[in-house]
Amino acid sequence: MPSTLPTPPCVESENEILRLSPRSFREFADFITGKLGIKMSENKIPMLQSRLQRRLRELGLPSIEAYKTYLFDSPQAETELAHFISAVTTNKTDFFREPHHFSYLTRTALPALDGDPGRPWRFKLWCAGCSSGEEPYTLSMVLSDYALQRPGFDYVMLATDISSRVLAIAREAVYDAERVEPLSPEQRKKYLLRSRRPNCDQVRVVPALRAKVQFHPLNFMDETYPVADTFDVIFFRNVMIYFDKPTQQAVVNRLCRNLRPGGYLFVGHSESLIGLDVPVRMVASAVYRKAGSARE
Ligand SMILES: C[S@@+](CC[C@H](N)C(=O)[O-])C[C@H]1O[C@@H](n2cnc3c(N)ncnc32)[C@H](O)[C@@H]1O
């Protein structure tokens, strides 16, 4: 019998199978905008495609179509939604990012909010869109330093994000040593622990700072936020930039429900509330203040 060569399987290149067609991109994009408020124009196709390709490889799924079924219509849909959100959000952050805000907080906002410097004060801050924790821990360092010069000062912080992946990193509070370069040597000594494992160039935020921050999941697109407290200050930096104007307005109004009269709202330096109908007015670069008396 003549030997026959096996027929080559019909293999499309991996990239071809995982390519995001314009129709699929629109479907994912509309879902992301509806769920997270994040604008998705066509220039995001390469970004979304590469992030989804990574997720497909992790799951061992053969095509974008198979992934759609897995995400939208499978028993794993709910669990996968959390992975999908973590895959599509942009979580760029740093310790002491946009540092001018931290000096404004201690030199201007805190003294202005201080009802009576002779009395105990439990200051409340919400770090909204906190990513992997660098921003809330920076604030925790700054507020702990402030407490040394203002007797009776204490603080608590709520830190929220939609991505369960970054919230897990934030709770763990372990960072590569190069991430903490913006800290001064004194801050590193005071607020970080070095890993004892050999060849492990990692640090961990000290327990005293970790205990001050409560991390919770929260989606800014929800109609109401499950937050009971009223805050003296809200940091909401580098999140709005991903939203369209109506979404920015709706989210800032919802956040301001939990901001006390006279309280401060900090946004990212490339963000602005100009043209939005919101109950805060600009008092410094990317710093806004709610109308009303600061004194309680
Ligand atoms: C670029 S990071 C900014 C982190 C930090 N605030 C800073 O300025 O360094 C934006 C964060 O907003 C979060 N985010 C995006 N859309 C969100 C939504 N709809 N609800 C809650 N968080 C959201 C992302 O997961 C991400 O961690």
Side-chain angles (χ1 to χ4, degrees):
M1 231 171 97
S3 65
T4 53
L5 287 170
T7 326
C10 177
V11 184
E12 292 177 68
S13 82
E14 193 192 35
N15 282 348
E16 193 52 34
I17 295 171
L18 300 184
R19 206 174 58 81
L20 197 53
S21 67
R23 195 175 63 85
S24 290
F25 170 74
R26 223 352 83 209
E27 252 175 273
F28 283 115
D30 290 348
F31 181 67
I32 291 167
T33 307
K35 192 90 197 156
L36 304 173
I38 298 172
K39 294 176 287 183
M40 296 289 292
S41 51
E42 310 287 310
N43 63 4
K44 297 268 175 72
I45 292 181
M47 178 276 286
L48 186 62
Q49 181 164 291
S50 81
R51 292 183 185 189
L52 290 185
Q53 284 175 351
R54 201 177 315 141
R55 186 67 193 137
L56 257 74
R57 281 193 205 99
E58 279 165 17
L59 291 166
L61 287 174
S63 66
I64 292 276
E65 283 307 311
Y67 183 65
K68 261 193 237 170
T69 308
Y70 191 79
L71 174 65
F72 297 127
D73 190 19
S74 81
Q76 294 81 10
E78 209 179 308
T79 321
E80 182 53 25
L81 178 60
H83 288 286
F84 178 76
I85 288 172
S86 291
V88 300
T89 48
T90 297
N91 313 110
K92 184 193 156 22
T93 188
D94 278 312
F95 284 97
F96 286 92
R97 184 180 191 182
E98 299 175 7
H100 143 88
H101 273 162
F102 304 104
S103 41
Y104 187 90
L105 177 67
T106 52
R107 290 192 196 143
T108 308
L110 283 163
L113 289 167
D114 201 344
D116 176 356
R119 287 180 41 197
W121 180 21
R122 194 156 179 265
F123 172 77
K124 290 183 190 161
L125 190 145
W126 180 1
C127 184
C130 64
S131 191
S132 37
E134 288 86 338
E135 186 178 48
Y137 290 130
T138 299
L139 286 161
S140 218
M141 292 174 200
V142 167
L143 294 172
S144 294
D145 284 345
Y146 187 78
L148 297 175
Q149 65 179 58
R150 199 293 192 182
F153 179 86
D154 192 15
Y155 69 94
V156 282
M157 201 187 312
L158 170 68
T160 62
D161 203 282
I162 182 74
S163 160
S164 50
R165 187 184 69 82
V166 290
L167 285 174
I169 298 171
R171 288 192 186 101
E172 199 60 24
V174 174
Y175 301 96
D176 289 342
E178 65 190 31
R179 303 273 312 138
V180 299
E181 272 163 19
L183 275 68
S184 69
E186 298 77 56
Q187 285 164 331
R188 280 181 231 177
K189 204 166 154 197
K190 209 157 128 192
Y191 295 127
L192 300 174
L193 303 168
R194 278 215 153 269
S195 172
R196 279 199 222 108
R197 279 186 286 146
N199 304 324
C200 179
D201 208 7
Q202 286 190 319
V203 294
R204 189 172 196 195
V205 176
V206 294
L209 290 197
R210 298 205 305 269
K212 291 289 189 188
V213 192
Q214 288 287 316
F215 290 99
H216 285 289
L218 183 139
N219 186 350
F220 294 125
M221 293 301 280
D222 289 347
E223 275 306 309
T224 54
Y225 302 154
V227 175
D229 268 320
T230 302
F231 296 90
D232 300 290
V233 168
I234 298 178
F235 266 62
F236 179 51
R237 306 192 309 163
N238 305 301
V239 182
M240 268 202 307
I241 198 164
Y242 302 105
F243 300 161
D244 65 15
K245 286 271 170 201
T247 307
Q248 292 179 352
Q249 178 167 301
V251 172
V252 170
N253 273 295
R254 288 198 283 265
L255 287 171
C256 285
R257 287 183 204 154
N258 291 80
L259 184 63
R260 69 178 254 192
Y264 288 81
L265 175 72
F266 290 74
V267 303
H269 278 112
S270 51
E271 298 169 323
S272 147
L273 304 184
I274 291 170
L276 303 187
D277 185 9
V278 288
V280 286
R281 64 178 179 84
M282 194 164 136
V283 289
S285 168
V287 184
Y288 293 79
R289 195 160 186 202
K290 192 171 175 177
S293 165
R295 314 265 173 223
E296 283 178 305

